[in-house]
mmCIF file of all heavy atoms in Angstrom:
data_model
loop_
_atom_site.group_PDB
_atom_site.id
_atom_site.type_symbol
_atom_site.label_atom_id
_atom_site.label_comp_id
_atom_site.label_asym_id
_atom_site.label_seq_id
_atom_site.Cartn_x
_atom_site.Cartn_y
_atom_site.Cartn_z
ATOM 1 N N GLY A 55 1.376 11.828 5.376
ATOM 2 C CA GLY A 55 2.619 11.853 6.133
ATOM 3 C C GLY A 55 2.566 11.200 7.497
ATOM 4 O O GLY A 55 3.600 11.027 8.150
ATOM 5 N N ARG A 56 1.393 10.814 7.957
ATOM 6 C CA ARG A 56 1.277 10.263 9.302
ATOM 7 C C ARG A 56 1.865 8.850 9.373
ATOM 8 O O ARG A 56 1.604 8.005 8.516
ATOM 9 C CB ARG A 56 -0.180 10.219 9.753
ATOM 10 C CG ARG A 56 -0.785 11.573 10.038
ATOM 11 C CD ARG A 56 -0.107 12.251 11.228
ATOM 12 N NE ARG A 56 -0.872 13.375 11.708
ATOM 13 C CZ ARG A 56 -0.692 14.637 11.304
ATOM 14 N NH1 ARG A 56 0.244 14.921 10.409
ATOM 15 N NH2 ARG A 56 -1.429 15.620 11.795
ATOM 16 N N LYS A 57 2.608 8.586 10.449
ATOM 17 C CA LYS A 57 3.092 7.238 10.732
ATOM 18 C C LYS A 57 2.044 6.485 11.552
ATOM 19 O O LYS A 57 1.025 7.048 11.962
ATOM 20 C CB LYS A 57 4.434 7.322 11.458
ATOM 21 C CG LYS A 57 5.547 7.890 10.573
ATOM 22 C CD LYS A 57 6.914 7.758 11.215
ATOM 23 C CE LYS A 57 7.096 8.711 12.378
ATOM 24 N NZ LYS A 57 8.487 8.651 12.921
ATOM 25 N N LEU A 58 2.327 5.210 11.796
ATOM 26 C CA LEU A 58 1.302 4.345 12.394
ATOM 27 C C LEU A 58 0.874 4.802 13.776
ATOM 28 O O LEU A 58 -0.327 4.928 14.054
ATOM 29 C CB LEU A 58 1.811 2.905 12.426
ATOM 30 C CG LEU A 58 0.780 1.836 12.823
ATOM 31 C CD1 LEU A 58 1.062 0.530 12.110
ATOM 32 C CD2 LEU A 58 0.752 1.592 14.322
ATOM 33 N N LEU A 59 1.820 5.042 14.669
ATOM 34 C CA LEU A 59 1.439 5.419 16.034
ATOM 35 C C LEU A 59 0.668 6.731 16.092
ATOM 36 O O LEU A 59 -0.345 6.818 16.819
ATOM 37 C CB LEU A 59 2.671 5.454 16.939
ATOM 38 C CG LEU A 59 3.363 4.101 17.167
ATOM 39 C CD1 LEU A 59 4.549 4.254 18.101
ATOM 40 C CD2 LEU A 59 2.386 3.057 17.708
ATOM 41 N N PRO A 60 1.086 7.788 15.372
ATOM 42 C CA PRO A 60 0.258 8.997 15.354
ATOM 43 C C PRO A 60 -1.139 8.767 14.775
ATOM 44 O O PRO A 60 -2.114 9.384 15.239
ATOM 45 C CB PRO A 60 1.073 9.957 14.485
ATOM 46 C CG PRO A 60 2.490 9.518 14.680
ATOM 47 C CD PRO A 60 2.406 8.035 14.765
ATOM 48 N N ILE A 61 -1.249 7.885 13.778
ATOM 49 C CA ILE A 61 -2.580 7.573 13.247
ATOM 50 C C ILE A 61 -3.445 6.982 14.349
ATOM 51 O O ILE A 61 -4.605 7.392 14.554
ATOM 52 C CB ILE A 61 -2.478 6.601 12.049
ATOM 53 C CG1 ILE A 61 -1.912 7.324 10.826
ATOM 54 C CG2 ILE A 61 -3.841 5.993 11.718
ATOM 55 C CD1 ILE A 61 -1.553 6.409 9.675
ATOM 56 N N LEU A 62 -2.900 6.036 15.095
ATOM 57 C CA LEU A 62 -3.666 5.421 16.179
ATOM 58 C C LEU A 62 -3.968 6.425 17.285
ATOM 59 O O LEU A 62 -5.091 6.481 17.794
ATOM 60 C CB LEU A 62 -2.899 4.226 16.743
ATOM 61 C CG LEU A 62 -2.516 3.115 15.758
ATOM 62 C CD1 LEU A 62 -1.831 1.970 16.491
ATOM 63 C CD2 LEU A 62 -3.724 2.624 14.973
ATOM 64 N N ASP A 63 -2.988 7.249 17.644
ATOM 65 C CA ASP A 63 -3.161 8.218 18.731
ATOM 66 C C ASP A 63 -4.171 9.304 18.388
ATOM 67 O O ASP A 63 -4.939 9.743 19.247
ATOM 68 C CB ASP A 63 -1.821 8.873 19.078
ATOM 69 C CG ASP A 63 -0.856 7.913 19.758
ATOM 70 O OD1 ASP A 63 -1.311 6.861 20.251
ATOM 71 O OD2 ASP A 63 0.355 8.203 19.771
ATOM 72 N N GLU A 64 -4.161 9.754 17.125
ATOM 73 C CA GLU A 64 -4.961 10.912 16.732
ATOM 74 C C GLU A 64 -6.315 10.554 16.129
ATOM 75 O O GLU A 64 -7.231 11.386 16.148
ATOM 76 C CB GLU A 64 -4.191 11.750 15.703
ATOM 77 C CG GLU A 64 -2.872 12.299 16.211
ATOM 78 C CD GLU A 64 -2.032 12.902 15.092
ATOM 79 O OE1 GLU A 64 -2.551 13.058 13.959
ATOM 80 O OE2 GLU A 64 -0.848 13.211 15.331
ATOM 81 N N GLN A 65 -6.459 9.356 15.578
ATOM 82 C CA GLN A 65 -7.644 9.071 14.777
ATOM 83 C C GLN A 65 -8.588 8.024 15.363
ATOM 84 O O GLN A 65 -9.784 8.036 15.058
ATOM 85 C CB GLN A 65 -7.214 8.644 13.363
ATOM 86 C CG GLN A 65 -6.439 9.721 12.619
ATOM 87 C CD GLN A 65 -5.943 9.285 11.251
ATOM 88 O OE1 GLN A 65 -6.492 8.363 10.628
ATOM 89 N NE2 GLN A 65 -4.903 9.934 10.753
#
Side-chain angles (χ1 to χ4, degrees):
R56 289 295 194 267
K57 293 189 288 185
L58 189 148
L59 295 181
I61 288 170
L62 303 183
D63 290 343
E64 299 170 10
Q65 299 177 24

